[in-house]
Amino acid sequence: MTALHDLALPSSDHAALSGMAFVAFCGVGALTLMMCVLTGPDSDHPEEFYTGYGSSSPLRGGLAIAGDYISAVTVLGTGGVIALCGYDGVMIAVSTALSLALVMFLFTERLNGTGRFTLGDVLAHRLPGRPARIAVGAVTILALLPMMLVQLADIGRLMAYILGFSSGTAKTGCVVGLGLLIITYSAIGGMQGTALIQSLKTVVLLASGTVTALLVLHRFDWDFGAFLGAAAQHSGVGAAFLRPGLQFGTGGMSRVNLVVSNLTIVLGVACLPHNTMRMYSASGAGRSRRSASWAVSFVTLFMLVMVVVELGATALLGRAAVGAADAQGNTAYLLGSRAALGSSVSTADSVLFMLMTTAILLTVLGSVAGVLLACANSLAHDVFATRDPDLPAAREVKMARWSTLTIGVPTIALATLAQQYSLLPLALLSSCVGASAIAPALLYSLFWRRYTSTGLVATLVAGSVAVLLVAPGTQLISGTPFSVFPHADFAWLPFSTTGIVSIPAGFFFGWLATVRSTPVASGPYERTRSDAPMADRTASRRGAVGHASSFTSVRP
């Protein structure tokens, strides 16, 4: 399974490109590690580790938010669906962009107004209680663990064949090496370090992708109609490639499946903790809103670029060649870039191809580091730190650093064991948990004054349990070529996600538990370091507040 070989390159060109890719990977690893060391927290203050004191400008914040949304799942997984299924894949890309627009218009200012570190802080702003905190921490890990697993396993396979490795040991080595590097990023760099990597990744990905997309269109003399016609012709299914049905089916329930799947992606991706946590790090609602505006522009542009590059792979190489390189289409983005450059390998072509591979590596490093940091922060801050209100600030930060290792090592082990399986459905599983448990909890807590802590726990538990119970019976696990077990069919629910059952379950049980419980009157409570307004917390960096205990006050 070598994309370079599929393009019929001479062995010398293949070796040259593999060598350049290896040099690029080593350079990227060294550069990004140095960036994390230089930009990481200067002190053991939770504010600096969790949010970087909100020091990013709106443009840098927008680049970082866009980096979270443009994950390896998007570039490799969604891109593969575009190349193999045409219209249905494009709809998934549109849903990803719409999810960010939803965050911008619905959540941005309200999330920033809570002034918190984690999703648990946002929900505990009105609904205090350790059971709620623990539930949020558990759901955060449940939602994000599949995303880390998918991206690590996919990039391990991708790196192996780009570098010319074919043995299982070499692929496992790539997964382990990248995983350990990502743990180091998260533990050393904190929020500010990972945000810098995400910003760099977005710039490189947009720049290289835009040039490649223009080259693809140039191959068709800038005739977009001819471009789409060639993609349909070489897809092997004709005009059906440009109509719904290849991914979600053409039967009586297919349109419902299409709508439910895209709704699940919009709600789920918008509310995943590693995406929402960027909203806490801006130093004001206005800056947060401007950052989100930049992010929407960047994500929308990249989705357009990705659609052109992926359809270009089908138009120039054929759907059969894309599927032969990788059954899930994970290599389609690289295949499209090489096809756009032609059969010869000039110096300029080699540099552009190296930039494309570097962009994909940065995508995985930044995305998984951000997801891992969100999990570690929630484990340390929502689960462990809440046991001791007087926990020293330095101790909490140390716990957060160790949490990256606690979560990262098992994830690496699982990724090495799951390399031979189709893992894209696990990314959809993350969206299902986000849409079924986290989205109802956020919407209720931010917009419903009657909502109680009992209702919060019920929402999180019911939504998550519904996903876990329904998922084995859907096409996520079996029944289609894109399932975890593509050669088996024991699905009893003809849907690609669990959303048709689990989203109503999360909303319903949260409502039911709330109306059947007694609201607790909000009285005085002690404000901890995580409750301080962003302005006060920024002042602490300048010396106005020297220790975490300085934040303690009583608010009516």
Side-chain angles (χ1 to χ4, degrees):
M1 183 177 69
T2 58
L4 301 177
H5 176 72
D6 287 337
L7 290 173
L9 293 175
S11 59
S12 59
D13 288 341
H14 185 178
L17 289 178
S18 296
M20 292 184 68
F22 179 76
V23 172
F25 288 168
C26 292
V28 167
L31 176 64
T32 49
L33 187 59
M34 181 180 68
M35 288 166 55
C36 275
V37 172
L38 294 177
T39 61
D42 297 325
S43 65
D44 285 333
H45 196 289
E47 176 65 27
E48 190 167 8
F49 185 82
Y50 288 138
T51 70
Y53 286 115
S55 56
S56 297
S57 66
L59 177 58
R60 283 182 55 192
L63 288 169
I65 294 171
D68 284 318
Y69 272 81
I70 307 172
S71 65
V73 173
T74 302
V75 178
L76 303 180
T78 302
V81 178
I82 293 172
L84 296 176
C85 299
Y87 180 94
D88 287 350
V90 173
M91 289 303 299
I92 295 176
V94 171
S95 296
T96 303
L98 286 177
S99 69
L100 180 53
L102 176 67
V103 169
M104 176 183 173
F105 292 112
L106 196 59
F107 293 135
T108 298
E109 293 191 20
R110 289 180 178 269
L111 287 175
N112 183 266
T114 59
R116 301 296 201 267
F117 299 152
T118 66
L119 180 64
D121 282 335
V122 173
L123 297 175
H125 181 56
R126 286 186 48 241
L127 309 168
R130 192 156 188 267
R133 286 272 195 175
I134 294 175
V136 173
V139 171
T140 295
I141 295 174
L142 175 65
L144 297 183
L145 184 62
M147 289 201 69
M148 287 192 289
L149 186 62
V150 171
Q151 296 182 85
L152 271 180
D154 281 348
I155 194 58
R157 292 196 296 257
L158 192 65
M159 275 192 64
Y161 79 73
I162 287 177
L163 299 178
F165 302 146
S166 58
S167 68
T169 303
K171 294 177 183 179
T172 299
C174 290
V175 172
V176 173
L178 285 172
L180 294 177
L181 187 61
I182 289 167
I183 291 174
T184 305
Y185 289 158
S186 303
I188 294 177
M191 172 68 83
Q192 193 159 329
T194 57
L196 189 59
I197 295 175
Q198 293 284 42
S199 300
L200 176 63
K201 152 197 151 178
T202 303
V203 171
V204 175
L205 200 60
L206 280 173
S208 60
T210 300
V211 172
T212 303
L214 292 176
L215 287 174
V216 169
L217 293 177
H218 177 67
R219 293 287 298 272
F220 295 91
D221 297 324
W222 310 102
D223 188 338
F224 197 71
F227 168 63
L228 293 179
Q233 179 182 356
H234 294 124
S235 68
V237 294
F241 187 72
L242 303 179
R243 295 197 299 261
L246 292 182
Q247 167 72 4
F248 298 106
T250 57
M253 297 297 292
S254 61
R255 295 192 181 277
V256 178
N257 186 20
L258 176 64
V259 172
V260 171
S261 297
N262 284 282
L263 175 63
T264 302
I265 293 171
V266 170
L267 279 178
V269 174
C271 297
L272 286 176
H274 73 292
N275 290 330
T276 58
M277 76 175 182
R278 296 289 175 190
M279 306 303 171
Y280 321 142
S281 60
S283 58
R287 176 170 289 189
S288 181
R289 185 173 57 254
R290 290 193 296 273
S291 295
S293 299
W294 278 110
V296 170
S297 302
F298 294 140
V299 171
T300 302
L301 174 60
F302 180 75
M303 291 304 163
L304 293 173
V305 165
M306 185 175 70
V307 166
V308 172
V309 175
E310 302 289 356
L311 292 181
T314 304
L316 295 171
L317 300 174
R319 185 166 172 254
V322 173
D326 185 278
Q328 309 302 318
N330 289 334
T331 62
Y333 193 72
L334 283 178
L335 289 174
S337 67
R338 273 301 304 137
L341 298 173
S343 58
S344 62
V345 180
S346 65
T347 301
D349 293 345
S350 299
V351 170
L352 181 57
F353 183 77
M354 186 175 65
L355 281 176
M356 294 290 288
T357 56
T358 299
I360 291 178
L361 179 63
L362 279 171
T363 297
V364 175
L365 294 178
S367 299
V368 181
V371 173
L372 178 60
L373 186 63
C375 289
N377 290 354
S378 186
L379 183 63
H381 186 67
D382 295 329
V383 178
F384 294 138
T386 54
R387 295 185 303 179
D388 183 6
D390 300 320
L391 184 71
R395 179 80 179 276
E396 181 176 341
V397 173
K398 184 179 293 186
M399 291 171 60
R401 296 184 193 276
W402 278 106
S403 294
T404 61
L405 194 65
T406 301
I407 296 172
V409 170
T411 303
I412 295 172
L414 289 173
T416 61
L417 296 174
Q419 293 180 83
Q420 68 271 27
Y421 296 101
S422 171
L423 298 179
L424 179 60
L426 292 183
L428 288 176
L429 189 66
S430 291
S431 295
C432 291
V433 176
S436 306
I438 300 175
L442 271 177
L443 289 169
Y444 278 154
S445 63
L446 294 176
F447 296 99
W448 188 16
R449 290 185 175 274
R450 175 71 168 75
Y451 197 45
T452 64
S453 295
T454 303
L456 171 61
V457 174
T459 302
L460 296 172
V461 172
S464 301
V465 170
V467 170
L468 296 178
L469 290 179
V470 175
T474 66
Q475 295 172 355
L476 283 172
I477 308 301
S478 69
T480 73
F482 294 92
S483 303
V484 175
F485 302 105
H487 303 297
D489 188 1
F490 46 83
W492 51 266
L493 193 64
F495 288 93
S496 301
T497 67
T498 66
I500 191 72
V501 175
S502 58
I503 293 177
F507 278 100
F508 173 74
F509 284 102
W511 168 81
L512 182 64
T514 296
V515 297
R516 294 180 65 86
S517 60
T518 303
V520 179
S522 57
Y525 69 96
E526 187 175 8
R527 189 170 77 182
T528 64
R529 59 180 173 272
S530 65
D531 294 321
M534 181 65 76
D536 293 343
R537 290 185 282 157
T538 304
S540 70
R541 190 185 187 189
R542 305 188 185 109
V545 183
H547 190 270
S549 61
S550 301
F551 286 117
T552 304
S553 62
V554 175
R555 183 172 64 187

